Amino acid sequence: MSVQWGRKAVIAALASTTLLLAGCETETTFRPATGHGFNRDGYSERQIEPSRFIVSFSGNSSTPRDTVERYLFFRSAQLTLQQGYDYFVMAGRDTKLRQQTYSTGGGFGPYGGFGGYGGFGYGGLGGYWGPSWRYHGGGFGGYGGGFGWSPWYGGGFGAFNDFDINTVDRFEATAEIVMRKGPIPDGNIHAFDARKVVETVGPSVVLPGQPRR
């Protein structure tokens, strides 16, 4: 039993450290994407036809939407020039807000668990990503308490079973671009001169190792 409690304490500590680091991180710089899933940030592209690409840029929780969309625009222009074209047409574009909710605390035993000392909870097993909530307030009799809900374990009553809910937000911008050579046709408001975009947006782009402007 002592081994199980030690493992839960370690998981909870790691979860708290992750949230603390997320709160201290700086904006994502302009670089190729790293990481996986929700923690992936940076730019990436996928070629779907000889002159057509899907380009995306994902930021961390400290990167505002404006920066994510600006870096997507810059990468689209940069990629166009790298492929030997002069301008690109935005065939489609979308920016999504990705969210994950993290619950910490809870568990079984004297610090939130089963019976008079707490209730089951999604985050009560040491902290896991997922939807859940917890009410902090008075309990019944001498047990104090709070109650909560989880899609896995449901709620519970008792003391010491409170836990915190934290939501992490990240923006991801994606565009489908078609590259072309020569001058931009008159009236095409969705076409952008790649060289002019690089010249205009480039000074505001922060590369890895560069000081923040």
Side-chain angles (χ1 to χ4, degrees):
M1 194 63 183
S2 59
V3 174
Q4 294 178 348
W5 275 106
R7 181 174 179 274
K8 292 175 185 177
V10 170
I11 295 174
L14 289 174
S16 300
T17 302
T18 300
L19 292 172
L20 178 62
L21 291 175
C24 299
E25 65 185 354
T26 58
E27 291 184 13
T28 299
T29 55
F30 184 79
R31 55 172 174 72
T34 59
H36 301 279
F38 184 77
N39 294 315
R40 181 180 175 84
D41 58 355
Y43 67 77
S44 62
E45 59 270 339
R46 177 168 55 92
Q47 186 172 13
I48 54 179
E49 288 182 0
S51 61
R52 187 184 295 261
F53 287 77
I54 299 294
V55 186
S56 66
F57 189 90
S58 300
N60 59 22
S61 60
S62 297
T63 309
R65 176 172 180 164
D66 174 73
T67 300
V68 169
E69 293 179 338
R70 181 159 36 89
Y71 283 12
L72 169 70
F73 202 49
F74 181 79
R75 179 54 185 164
S76 298
Q78 185 185 62
L79 183 63
T80 297
L81 296 177
Q82 290 173 351
Q83 295 295 314
Y85 294 91
D86 300 309
Y87 70 93
F88 63 95
V89 179
M90 284 280 189
R93 190 180 71 173
D94 184 38
T95 301
K96 295 180 179 179
L97 173 62
R98 301 183 298 160
Q99 292 183 319
Q100 278 194 341
T101 300
Y102 195 87
S103 55
T104 59
F108 297 92
Y111 296 102
F114 186 81
Y117 292 93
F120 291 94
Y122 193 162
L125 300 178
Y128 294 94
W129 290 105
S132 56
W133 56 263
R134 177 70 65 179
Y135 168 74
H136 299 261
F140 295 88
Y143 292 99
F147 61 90
W149 168 87
S150 162
W152 286 6
Y153 297 105
F157 297 85
F160 309 117
N161 66 341
D162 295 343
F163 58 85
D164 297 324
I165 303 300
N166 299 276
T167 299
V168 180
D169 295 340
R170 291 170 176 254
F171 287 103
E172 179 180 37
T174 304
E176 179 181 345
I177 65 172
V178 181
M179 304 171 181
R180 294 285 184 263
K181 293 183 178 181
I184 297 177
D186 293 337
N188 192 341
I189 62 175
H190 299 291
F192 301 89
D193 186 309
R195 290 179 179 81
K196 290 183 179 178
V197 171
V198 169
E199 292 173 1
T200 304
V201 180
S204 67
V205 172
V206 179
L207 301 175
Q210 283 187 338
R212 299 282 166 176
R213 296 179 176 86

